[in-house]
Amino acid sequence: MKDYQRDFIELAIAKEALLFGEFTLKSGRVSPYFFNAGRFFQTGQGLASLGRFYAQAIVDAGVEFDLVFGPAYKGIPLASATAVALAEHHGLDYPYCFNRKEAKDHGEGGSLVGAALEGRALIVDDVITAGTAVREVMDIIAGANAKPAGVVIGLDRQERGKGELSAIGEVERDYQIPVVNIITLNDIISYLEQQGGVEHLEAIKAYRAAYGV
Ligand code: OMP
């Protein structure tokens, strides 16, 4: 695990963005942990630090893209903070845009805001579990004059998709793109093991055995 990944886990725990307990997921699975990226958005500094973690993960992965795309809603602050961090900390000033969930029929109109959605779009989002949310974003990209370049998420929950592959493996296969993460479930498990905390580990490992790949 790299230093910034450990820092991310520690900050996520401190901000209660990474929670342990019992959570019902969108997929219906009942998980012993949950990542709520919104907890980072509660202050300007929290959001700025989140943007730096995303930017670092993108630079580390070496993914090639033309534009940063933030899917509504949580992807919007995530992608905004990431685009700022790429420019300010890595000298990478990319075009950036996001979508509205409901198209606007007055003023500038339409459902996209920012740079034109064209070329290879890097999608910035919070979490992939079963892959439902990210597939909806792919439809938006396909409906515009763009192609997906990759997806970057804060947490890869490393869960099974529809078949033998992970949900993320299926996205990578179906769209021929990389899915980059700041951390994975295995990183969280390693971190908890290193901390010597046994409290949540058993439940998380049981969950991984049931739904993991
Ligand atoms: P999938 O559409 O199943 O991939 O679930 C992804 C979405 O689930 C995310 O965009 C979140 O809205 C939500 N989610 C979290 O935010 N954090 C988690 O730890 C787990 C989920 C989830 O419901 O699976």
Side-chain angles (χ1 to χ4, degrees):
M1 202 182 330
K2 294 185 176 158
D3 284 351
Y4 81 90
Q5 294 175 302
R6 173 179 308 280
D7 293 348
F8 178 69
I9 294 174
E10 284 178 347
L11 193 60
I13 291 173
K15 290 196 171 293
E16 297 181 347
L18 183 57
L19 293 165
F20 303 100
E22 198 175 283
F23 307 91
T24 301
L25 305 184
K26 205 171 100 181
S27 58
R29 296 173 186 173
V30 179
S31 168
Y33 75 102
F34 192 82
F35 178 68
N36 179 2
R39 288 279 181 162
F40 275 95
F41 309 164
Q42 290 182 336
T43 69
Q45 201 170 49
L47 180 57
S49 62
L50 191 55
R52 285 197 296 275
F53 288 120
Y54 271 85
Q56 188 65 54
I58 292 165
V59 169
D60 266 18
V63 48
E64 288 184 16
F65 59 100
D66 302 313
L67 159 130
V68 175
F69 180 70
Y73 293 102
K74 274 194 187 159
I76 298 174
L78 287 175
S80 309
T82 302
V84 170
L86 284 169
E88 292 206 328
H89 298 279
H90 301 276
L92 300 169
D93 188 21
Y94 282 98
Y96 155 69
C97 80
F98 64 88
N99 69 306
R100 290 192 178 94
K101 286 228 176 182
E102 284 166 27
K104 197 174 159 188
D105 59 6
H106 58 280
E108 77 275 18
S111 60
L112 292 169
V113 184
L117 178 51
E118 57 190 22
R120 297 167 302 173
L122 179 64
I123 299 151
V124 182
D125 214 344
D126 54 356
V127 177
I128 292 180
T129 303
T132 315
V134 75
R135 283 172 193 276
E136 290 167 13
V137 180
M138 294 302 177
D139 294 341
I140 298 168
I141 305 264
N145 192 19
K147 291 191 302 198
V151 184
V152 53
I153 49 176
L155 170 65
D156 175 355
R157 295 182 52 102
Q158 299 179 301
E159 295 191 28
R160 269 203 311 275
K162 296 187 183 73
E164 287 302 297
L165 279 179
S166 67
I168 286 184
E170 288 174 351
V171 169
E172 292 183 320
R173 176 199 62 198
D174 294 349
Y175 299 98
Q176 294 288 299
I177 53 165
V179 177
V180 171
N181 60 71
I182 304 174
I183 55 160
T184 63
L185 173 60
N186 284 341
D187 293 325
I188 295 176
I189 291 174
S190 306
Y191 176 81
L192 294 175
E193 281 171 345
Q194 283 164 16
Q195 295 302 302
V198 285
E199 203 188 333
H200 309 292
L201 265 174
E202 215 169 295
I204 292 177
K205 285 184 175 169
Y207 182 83
R208 183 174 62 173
Y211 298 112
V213 279

mmCIF file of all heavy atoms in Angstrom, residues 16 56 58 75 90 95 99 107 114 122 124 130 135-136 142 159 174-175 193 200:
data_model
loop_
_atom_site.group_PDB
_atom_site.id
_atom_site.type_symbol
_atom_site.label_atom_id
_atom_site.label_comp_id
_atom_site.label_asym_id
_atom_site.label_seq_id
_atom_site.Cartn_x
_atom_site.Cartn_y
_atom_site.Cartn_z
ATOM 1 N N GLU A 16 -15.409 9.828 9.063
ATOM 2 C CA GLU A 16 -16.565 8.913 9.041
ATOM 3 C C GLU A 16 -17.122 8.747 7.641
ATOM 4 O O GLU A 16 -18.336 8.593 7.438
ATOM 5 C CB GLU A 16 -17.642 9.361 10.043
ATOM 6 C CG GLU A 16 -17.111 9.321 11.466
ATOM 7 C CD GLU A 16 -18.139 9.726 12.511
ATOM 8 O OE1 GLU A 16 -19.191 10.265 12.132
ATOM 9 O OE2 GLU A 16 -17.863 9.499 13.694
ATOM 10 N N GLN A 56 -3.940 11.884 -7.676
ATOM 11 C CA GLN A 56 -2.754 11.027 -7.497
ATOM 12 C C GLN A 56 -2.998 9.638 -8.083
ATOM 13 O O GLN A 56 -2.131 9.073 -8.761
ATOM 14 C CB GLN A 56 -2.438 10.916 -5.996
ATOM 15 C CG GLN A 56 -1.126 10.224 -5.692
ATOM 16 C CD GLN A 56 0.069 11.010 -6.210
ATOM 17 O OE1 GLN A 56 0.216 12.168 -5.889
ATOM 18 N NE2 GLN A 56 0.886 10.377 -7.035
ATOM 19 N N ILE A 58 -5.006 8.836 -10.497
ATOM 20 C CA ILE A 58 -5.053 8.956 -11.969
ATOM 21 C C ILE A 58 -3.634 9.025 -12.531
ATOM 22 O O ILE A 58 -3.288 8.329 -13.497
ATOM 23 C CB ILE A 58 -5.859 10.214 -12.376
ATOM 24 C CG1 ILE A 58 -7.338 10.034 -12.018
ATOM 25 C CG2 ILE A 58 -5.685 10.530 -13.858
ATOM 26 C CD1 ILE A 58 -8.149 11.320 -12.043
ATOM 27 N N GLY A 75 -20.635 12.577 -8.469
ATOM 28 C CA GLY A 75 -19.479 12.716 -9.359
ATOM 29 C C GLY A 75 -19.133 14.167 -9.650
ATOM 30 O O GLY A 75 -18.003 14.463 -10.057
ATOM 31 N N HIS A 90 -0.388 18.806 -10.494
ATOM 32 C CA HIS A 90 0.309 17.998 -11.493
ATOM 33 C C HIS A 90 0.520 18.758 -12.806
ATOM 34 O O HIS A 90 1.006 18.167 -13.769
ATOM 35 C CB HIS A 90 -0.469 16.698 -11.756
ATOM 36 C CG HIS A 90 -0.653 15.872 -10.511
ATOM 37 N ND1 HIS A 90 0.320 15.001 -10.047
ATOM 38 C CD2 HIS A 90 -1.666 15.807 -9.619
ATOM 39 C CE1 HIS A 90 -0.118 14.438 -8.916
ATOM 40 N NE2 HIS A 90 -1.312 14.912 -8.641
ATOM 41 N N PRO A 95 -9.823 19.765 -19.898
ATOM 42 C CA PRO A 95 -11.223 20.189 -19.972
ATOM 43 C C PRO A 95 -12.049 19.345 -19.003
ATOM 44 O O PRO A 95 -11.691 18.201 -18.701
ATOM 45 C CB PRO A 95 -11.631 19.874 -21.421
ATOM 46 C CG PRO A 95 -10.366 19.752 -22.162
ATOM 47 C CD PRO A 95 -9.322 19.259 -21.187
ATOM 48 N N ASN A 99 -22.896 16.418 -15.948
ATOM 49 C CA ASN A 99 -24.281 16.396 -16.461
ATOM 50 C C ASN A 99 -25.281 16.790 -15.383
ATOM 51 O O ASN A 99 -25.002 16.699 -14.186
ATOM 52 C CB ASN A 99 -24.628 15.001 -17.002
ATOM 53 C CG ASN A 99 -24.729 13.968 -15.898
ATOM 54 O OD1 ASN A 99 -23.812 13.789 -15.098
ATOM 55 N ND2 ASN A 99 -25.847 13.281 -15.828
ATOM 56 N N GLY A 107 -32.426 29.206 -20.796
ATOM 57 C CA GLY A 107 -31.025 29.627 -20.670
ATOM 58 C C GLY A 107 -30.171 28.885 -21.667
ATOM 59 O O GLY A 107 -30.538 28.752 -22.845
ATOM 60 N N GLY A 114 -20.178 22.812 -18.812
ATOM 61 C CA GLY A 114 -18.715 22.841 -18.855
ATOM 62 C C GLY A 114 -18.216 22.630 -20.267
ATOM 63 O O GLY A 114 -18.878 23.011 -21.238
ATOM 64 N N LEU A 122 -12.715 10.673 -18.998
ATOM 65 C CA LEU A 122 -12.392 9.952 -17.765
ATOM 66 C C LEU A 122 -13.505 10.232 -16.755
ATOM 67 O O LEU A 122 -13.710 11.377 -16.347
ATOM 68 C CB LEU A 122 -11.042 10.412 -17.217
ATOM 69 C CG LEU A 122 -10.609 9.727 -15.912
ATOM 70 C CD1 LEU A 122 -10.392 8.231 -16.120
ATOM 71 C CD2 LEU A 122 -9.338 10.367 -15.367
ATOM 72 N N VAL A 124 -15.267 10.248 -13.226
ATOM 73 C CA VAL A 124 -14.849 10.276 -11.818
ATOM 74 C C VAL A 124 -16.079 10.010 -10.955
ATOM 75 O O VAL A 124 -17.052 10.763 -11.005
ATOM 76 C CB VAL A 124 -14.224 11.643 -11.455
ATOM 77 C CG1 VAL A 124 -13.748 11.634 -10.008
ATOM 78 C CG2 VAL A 124 -13.058 11.968 -12.391
ATOM 79 N N ALA A 130 -22.017 -3.262 -7.754
ATOM 80 C CA ALA A 130 -22.471 -4.202 -8.787
ATOM 81 C C ALA A 130 -22.292 -3.630 -10.201
ATOM 82 O O ALA A 130 -22.473 -4.340 -11.192
ATOM 83 C CB ALA A 130 -23.928 -4.564 -8.543
ATOM 84 N N ARG A 135 -22.743 1.949 -15.435
ATOM 85 C CA ARG A 135 -23.273 1.609 -16.772
ATOM 86 C C ARG A 135 -24.229 2.697 -17.274
ATOM 87 O O ARG A 135 -24.314 2.965 -18.466
ATOM 88 C CB ARG A 135 -23.957 0.236 -16.754
ATOM 89 C CG ARG A 135 -22.934 -0.882 -16.755
ATOM 90 C CD ARG A 135 -23.534 -2.255 -16.556
ATOM 91 N NE ARG A 135 -22.464 -3.195 -16.277
ATOM 92 C CZ ARG A 135 -21.716 -3.806 -17.200
ATOM 93 N NH1 ARG A 135 -21.956 -3.596 -18.484
ATOM 94 N NH2 ARG A 135 -20.733 -4.612 -16.858
ATOM 95 N N GLU A 136 -24.944 3.324 -16.353
ATOM 96 C CA GLU A 136 -25.821 4.438 -16.750
ATOM 97 C C GLU A 136 -24.981 5.605 -17.276
ATOM 98 O O GLU A 136 -25.368 6.286 -18.227
ATOM 99 C CB GLU A 136 -26.673 4.899 -15.562
ATOM 100 C CG GLU A 136 -27.734 3.870 -15.166
ATOM 101 C CD GLU A 136 -28.383 4.135 -13.808
ATOM 102 O OE1 GLU A 136 -28.203 5.248 -13.258
ATOM 103 O OE2 GLU A 136 -29.034 3.225 -13.307
ATOM 104 N N ALA A 142 -21.982 7.644 -24.383
ATOM 105 C CA ALA A 142 -22.249 7.131 -25.732
ATOM 106 C C ALA A 142 -23.231 8.036 -26.474
ATOM 107 O O ALA A 142 -23.147 8.190 -27.697
ATOM 108 C CB ALA A 142 -22.801 5.707 -25.651
ATOM 109 N N GLU A 159 -16.394 -6.707 -5.615
ATOM 110 C CA GLU A 159 -17.514 -7.650 -5.521
ATOM 111 C C GLU A 159 -17.816 -8.290 -6.864
ATOM 112 O O GLU A 159 -17.510 -7.736 -7.915
ATOM 113 C CB GLU A 159 -18.753 -6.928 -4.970
ATOM 114 C CG GLU A 159 -18.493 -6.475 -3.541
ATOM 115 C CD GLU A 159 -19.710 -5.994 -2.800
ATOM 116 O OE1 GLU A 159 -20.825 -6.429 -3.102
ATOM 117 O OE2 GLU A 159 -19.521 -5.186 -1.875
ATOM 118 N N ASP A 174 -16.392 -5.049 -20.853
ATOM 119 C CA ASP A 174 -17.472 -4.597 -21.739
ATOM 120 C C ASP A 174 -17.137 -3.290 -22.452
ATOM 121 O O ASP A 174 -17.590 -3.059 -23.569
ATOM 122 C CB ASP A 174 -18.787 -4.429 -20.952
ATOM 123 C CG ASP A 174 -19.305 -5.768 -20.435
ATOM 124 O OD1 ASP A 174 -18.766 -6.812 -20.864
ATOM 125 O OD2 ASP A 174 -20.224 -5.769 -19.594
ATOM 126 N N TYR A 175 -16.373 -2.409 -21.781
ATOM 127 C CA TYR A 175 -16.101 -1.095 -22.394
ATOM 128 C C TYR A 175 -14.642 -0.941 -22.812
ATOM 129 O O TYR A 175 -14.272 0.110 -23.329
ATOM 130 C CB TYR A 175 -16.518 0.023 -21.431
ATOM 131 C CG TYR A 175 -17.997 -0.034 -21.103
ATOM 132 C CD1 TYR A 175 -18.449 -0.636 -19.937
ATOM 133 C CD2 TYR A 175 -18.939 0.470 -21.984
ATOM 134 C CE1 TYR A 175 -19.805 -0.722 -19.646
ATOM 135 C CE2 TYR A 175 -20.301 0.395 -21.709
ATOM 136 C CZ TYR A 175 -20.724 -0.209 -20.534
ATOM 137 O OH TYR A 175 -22.067 -0.289 -20.251
ATOM 138 N N GLU A 193 -5.765 -5.067 9.549
ATOM 139 C CA GLU A 193 -4.887 -6.117 10.095
ATOM 140 C C GLU A 193 -3.628 -5.493 10.691
ATOM 141 O O GLU A 193 -3.195 -5.877 11.782
ATOM 142 C CB GLU A 193 -4.515 -7.125 9.001
ATOM 143 C CG GLU A 193 -5.638 -8.122 8.756
ATOM 144 C CD GLU A 193 -5.404 -9.016 7.531
ATOM 145 O OE1 GLU A 193 -4.516 -8.689 6.705
ATOM 146 O OE2 GLU A 193 -6.126 -10.010 7.396
ATOM 147 N N HIS A 200 -13.895 -5.409 13.382
ATOM 148 C CA HIS A 200 -14.749 -5.488 12.191
ATOM 149 C C HIS A 200 -14.250 -6.502 11.170
ATOM 150 O O HIS A 200 -14.943 -6.795 10.209
ATOM 151 C CB HIS A 200 -14.831 -4.123 11.530
ATOM 152 C CG HIS A 200 -15.194 -3.029 12.475
ATOM 153 N ND1 HIS A 200 -16.440 -2.940 13.044
ATOM 154 C CD2 HIS A 200 -14.467 -2.008 12.983
ATOM 155 C CE1 HIS A 200 -16.467 -1.891 13.853
ATOM 156 N NE2 HIS A 200 -15.280 -1.312 13.843
#
